[in-house]
Amino acid sequence: MMKAYIEEAEKALLHTYNRYQVVLDRGDGVYLYDIEGKRYLDFVSGIAVFALGYHNREYNDGLKEQIDKLIHTSNYYYNVPAIEAAKKLKKVSGMDRVFFTNSGAEAVEGAIKAARKYAYLRDGHTGHEIIAMNHSFHGRTMGALSVTGNPKYREAFEPMIGNIKFAEMNDFESVEALVSDRTCGIIFETVQGEGGIYPAAREFMEKVKALCEERDILLILDEIQCGMGRTGYMYAWQKYGIRPDIMTTAKALGCGVPVGAFLMTEKTAQHSLTSGDHGTTYGGNPLAAAAVSRVLDLFEENHILENVNSVAPYLESRLDELVAGYDFVEARRGAGLLQGLVFTRPVGEVINRALDKGLLLINAGTHIIRFVPPLVITREDVDHMMRILKECLADLT
Ligand SMILES: *Cc1c(COP(=O)(O)O)cnc(C)c1O
C-alpha cells in the first residue's frame, strides 16, 4: 500500500526532497503511525515543530473552536486571536512588537527588510550591508537564502540580494573585520541547526551585542529552530543576558499550523517598518493566531520548559555514552532538546536502519544525526530511542 502511494507521489510532487520511504498517517503523543499501522518513536517532530506531542486534545479543540468561528479575515481588520497571541508572545519573549508571518523564511525576510529600513531612516540612503554566518540556515526564499551560509543552496539561484557578507560563527574577530559604516544588521541563529548544531558561545554573543550597540547595528537572532522552549529557555538567547533588536520565530510557534513571526524592540519598531512597508494576506489570521495562543497557554500549563530542563541532561548523558562507546561517534553538541551526534562517516544508513526499527531520526548535514524530539518526551522515551539506536550502531560495527 505504501509503495503505491510513494509511486504516485513521485509522479505528482516536485522532486525537491529525497524522502524516506514511509507514508505517515497519524500521531499520538511521541509516536507516529504509517498508513500500514506501523508505529515510530518520533525524535524529529516535523523538524522541531510538534513540541506538544501529537493528538493533543486541548490544542486540537482550540483549533476546532476557531474553525467554527472564523478561519480568516484580512489584516486590514483586527481579530481577537491575533491580539491575544501577540500579547502572549511579547510576554514570553520579552520583545515589544510582533509581526506574524506564514513561515520561518518569511519571518527572516521581514527581519531583513526591517534592518534595511532602520538604516535607511538613520542614514538617509540605501545600500546597507548585513553580516551573516557561514554554515547558517535561514530559509529558501531569496532574501533568507541570501543570508544562508551554504553556497550549495545558493549557487544555482544567483544573484542573491546584494551586500551580504559572511563571517564565522563564534569567531568575533571575523565579524568585527566585516563591519563598516554601511552595516545595518548582524544575523545568526542562537544555536545553528541545519548547519551542524553549533550553539553561540557566551563570549561571542556578548561581544557581538556590544559591537551592535556601539555601532548602531541591529542584532537579529534567528530562533526559528532553537526557540520555543527547545533549549530549556523560551528563546535560546534568554540564557545570555542580552536581548536582540529583532528576533525570528516559527516551527514550534504554531505546533503544526504554518505560522511564524518576527519580533522587535520598541526602539527598532519606532525606527523601521511603518504603514505600507510590509504585509501578508494570511499572516496572523485567526486560525494561525489561535494556534499560537493555545500553544503558548499549553507550554505554561504543561510545564514544557521544566520538562526540557529535566530530560535534556539525561539525553545528553545517554548520547555521551555513544561518543565514549563507538570510535565512529566523534562528538555530541547542542543545547537542551536540540542535540547533534557527530559521526566520522555519513549517517544516512543509520537513519534508514532506525526507520526500519521504528525510530524517526533526521540528519543535519551528512555526518550529524540531529535529535529534535517533541518537548514532552520522558526519560523512558530517551531509553527507548537509545535501545533502537544502539541496535543500529551495533549493525555497523
Ligand atoms: C527551518 C528554519 C528556517 C526556515 O523556516 P521555514 O518555515 O521552513 O521557512 C529558518 N531559519 C532556521 C534557523 C530554521 O531552522
Side-chain angles (χ1 to χ4, degrees):
M1 190 159 77
M2 287 216 291
K3 204 159 162 275
Y5 273 116
I6 289 169
E7 273 165 22
E8 278 182 50
E10 290 306 328
K11 281 182 205 144
L13 295 169
L14 196 64
H15 193 104
T16 53
Y17 284 90
N18 287 322
R19 292 184 165 87
Y20 294 101
Q21 297 299 295
V22 58
V23 184
L24 294 171
D25 185 40
R26 63 187 184 89
D28 192 13
V30 297
Y31 293 100
L32 283 167
Y33 295 81
D34 68 24
I35 55 170
E36 292 172 359
K38 180 173 166 183
R39 188 177 85 153
Y40 303 85
L41 176 63
D42 181 21
F43 264 63
V44 180
S45 55
I47 313 199
V49 170
F50 233 110
L52 296 168
Y54 302 98
H55 202 248
N56 180 300
R57 186 158 302 280
E58 284 149 290
Y59 172 77
N60 291 1
D61 286 347
L63 292 188
K64 287 174 192 165
E65 278 162 34
Q66 191 58 47
I67 285 171
D68 286 335
K69 250 180 158 174
L70 182 66
I71 293 175
H72 182 79
T73 178
S74 165
N75 276 315
Y76 280 108
Y77 309 100
Y78 298 98
N79 75 76
V80 174
I83 297 162
E84 291 191 336
K87 245 170 48 188
K88 290 172 191 173
L89 194 51
K90 277 179 57 170
K91 182 161 167 255
V92 296
S93 67
M95 302 296 286
D96 300 320
R97 288 193 184 257
V98 182
F99 184 101
F100 287 111
T101 65
N102 310 291
S103 68
E106 279 174 77
V108 173
E109 296 290 333
I112 292 171
K113 280 180 72 175
R116 282 186 164 184
K117 180 75 191 288
Y118 180 88
Y120 171 75
L121 292 176
R122 182 190 65 193
D123 298 343
H125 63 77
T126 60
H128 291 91
E129 297 165 351
I130 292 176
I131 298 172
M133 302 298 146
N134 285 319
H135 306 294
S136 62
F137 182 81
H138 297 291
R140 304 295 198 144
T141 55
M142 290 310 292
L145 191 59
S146 300
V147 291
T148 289
N150 183 338
K152 265 214 318 250
Y153 289 166
R154 298 197 309 262
E155 198 176 70
F157 309 103
E158 301 275 351
M160 297 286 111
I161 70 164
N163 295 2
I164 311 291
K165 295 172 168 178
F166 288 96
E168 270 325 304
M169 180 87 170
N170 289 335
D171 176 352
F172 177 70
E173 276 80 49
S174 78
V175 176
E176 205 178 22
L178 297 179
V179 168
S180 78
D181 289 342
R182 290 180 170 266
T183 311
C184 67
I186 300 177
I187 183 170
F188 59 94
E189 302 153 80
T190 313
V191 182
Q192 284 189 335
E194 200 74 27
I197 326 291
Y198 291 98
R202 178 171 294 277
E203 201 192 353
F204 178 75
M205 184 67 94
E206 286 169 355
K207 284 185 166 172
V208 171
K209 173 68 188 172
L211 175 71
C212 285
E213 283 193 346
E214 191 191 310
R215 303 288 300 259
D216 197 16
I217 295 166
L218 298 180
L219 175 60
I220 306 166
L221 292 179
D222 183 342
E223 291 262 345
I224 291 167
Q225 186 160 162
C226 62
M228 286 301 290
R230 185 141 297 271
T231 68
Y233 293 81
M234 202 59 196
Y235 285 99
W237 57 260
Q238 290 167 338
K239 173 175 132 181
Y240 297 80
I242 57 101
R243 185 167 74 140
D245 301 291
I246 304 178
M247 177 195 106
T248 60
T249 178
K251 290 201 162 94
L253 180 63
C255 275
V257 169
V259 59
F262 61 98
L263 291 86
M264 49 182 95
T265 61
E266 188 61 30
K267 177 180 174 231
T268 313
Q270 291 307 329
H271 298 93
S272 64
L273 300 177
T274 180
S275 124
D277 277 343
H278 201 52
T280 165
T281 297
Y282 276 138
N285 85 1
L287 181 63
V292 173
S293 192
R294 186 54 65 101
V295 165
L296 293 175
D297 286 346
L298 290 173
F299 260 67
E300 211 173 290
E301 286 163 27
N302 296 349
H303 310 289
I304 297 294
L305 292 185
E306 289 85 341
N307 190 60
V308 173
N309 285 315
S310 118
V311 177
Y314 184 67
L315 174 64
E316 289 182 354
S317 71
R318 296 290 332 253
L319 293 177
D320 285 341
E321 280 174 29
L322 303 177
V323 179
Y326 299 87
D327 46 0
F328 52 83
V329 183
E330 203 169 55
R332 173 197 61 78
R333 56 174 179 257
L337 294 179
L338 174 55
Q339 295 288 333
L341 203 55
V342 186
F343 283 62
T344 58
R345 55 206 274 179
V347 295
E349 201 186 334
V350 178
I351 292 175
N352 276 316
R353 281 179 191 196
L355 180 72
D356 278 348
K357 294 177 193 286
L359 168 65
L360 298 188
L361 293 172
I362 193 95
N363 62 311
T366 52
H367 284 55
I368 300 171
I369 296 182
R370 173 170 28 167
F371 299 84
V372 275
L375 302 183
V376 294
I377 56 158
T378 61
R379 285 167 187 239
E380 289 69 38
D381 297 324
V382 172
D383 288 338
H384 182 183
M385 180 279 291
M386 284 293 294
R387 276 197 302 277
I388 300 177
L389 183 55
K390 277 186 168 170
E391 282 174 30
C392 300
L393 297 181
D395 289 353
L396 285 187
T397 46

